[in-house]
Amino acid sequence: MALTFHGAGDPALALALLDAAEAGGARITVFAVGTWLTAAGTDRVLQRLQDGGHELANHTYTHPALKRLSPAATLAEITRCRDTLTQVAGQPGRFFRPSGTPTASATILAAAGNAGYRTSLAYDVDPQDYDDPGADLVRSRALATVHPGAVLSLHLGHRGTVDALPGILDGLTQRGLRAITANALIPI
């Protein structure tokens, strides 16, 4: 199953999360927000992601509710993040995930395609860790519906997510599942 993260928030929490992921043998995909990619302290996170065999992907530049934007503004959000990913990581990422919506509309898919993304990746397991419900609830929600081939959506900038990750990884192992990158799950 693919372990994916919304890429924004405190770089120290992101580094702690990478420690937990790597201790549990997980490889992750970070759908990075473009403004976060150039924020103070994220250079260390980006280096760890690259050195650790993790994956970066596009999650728009400013994380707007894409379904509310015009086609031109949607394309601008995606291409600006693509260009920032290329600048800071040397590549634009293989996947795109729309911001502000769990699914992509036809307009969003067209813009992503025009920006060079063949795949817009949604998710089917969402423990809503962004609401900060606490580590136990994040873990139990994540494990309640996870299955082979699942795409789990979590967020880097939340302490409860960092604290829940070891338990999530243990639960995956008990179910015979392994946390891998989106590209390892869906090679394109």
Side-chain angles (χ1 to χ4, degrees):
M1 56 79 48
L3 186 54
T4 70
F5 290 86
H6 165 99
D10 181 355
L13 286 175
L15 290 169
L17 188 130
L18 283 169
D19 289 342
E22 291 168 357
R27 295 297 172 262
I28 67 172
T29 299
V30 174
F31 284 88
V33 175
T35 55
W36 178 76
L37 288 167
T38 58
T42 56
D43 53 338
R44 290 181 49 221
V45 178
L46 296 173
Q47 192 62 54
R48 280 282 304 278
L49 286 164
Q50 291 178 323
D51 291 347
H54 305 286
E55 178 179 31
L56 279 165
N58 185 323
H59 196 42
T60 70
Y61 189 75
T62 65
H63 199 263
L66 281 185
K67 285 186 176 179
R68 295 183 183 159
L69 299 183
S70 69
T74 299
L75 179 61
E77 278 286 332
I78 298 167
T79 56
R80 190 166 181 199
C81 186
R82 177 202 64 201
D83 296 346
T84 303
L85 275 165
T86 301
Q87 177 187 356
V88 302
Q91 49 84 23
R94 291 184 169 179
F95 295 99
F96 166 75
R97 176 174 287 163
S99 58
T101 179
T103 59
S105 66
T107 299
I108 294 169
L109 290 173
N114 288 338
Y117 292 97
R118 293 178 31 206
T119 305
S120 177
L121 187 65
Y123 49 88
D124 58 347
V125 180
D126 181 7
Q128 299 176 343
D129 62 326
Y130 51 82
D131 284 334
D132 295 318
D136 290 341
L137 199 48
V138 171
R139 180 188 44 74
S140 65
R141 286 176 178 172
L143 294 174
T145 57
V146 75
H147 55 87
V151 178
L152 173 59
S153 175
L154 293 166
H155 294 72
L156 290 183
H158 298 267
R159 181 82 240 171
T161 304
V162 174
D163 294 342
L165 191 57
I168 291 170
L169 295 175
D170 287 345
L172 293 174
T173 300
Q174 291 170 8
R175 289 163 172 79
L177 299 173
R178 195 167 48 103
I180 58 177
T181 64
N183 191 54
L185 181 67
I186 309 165
I188 55 174

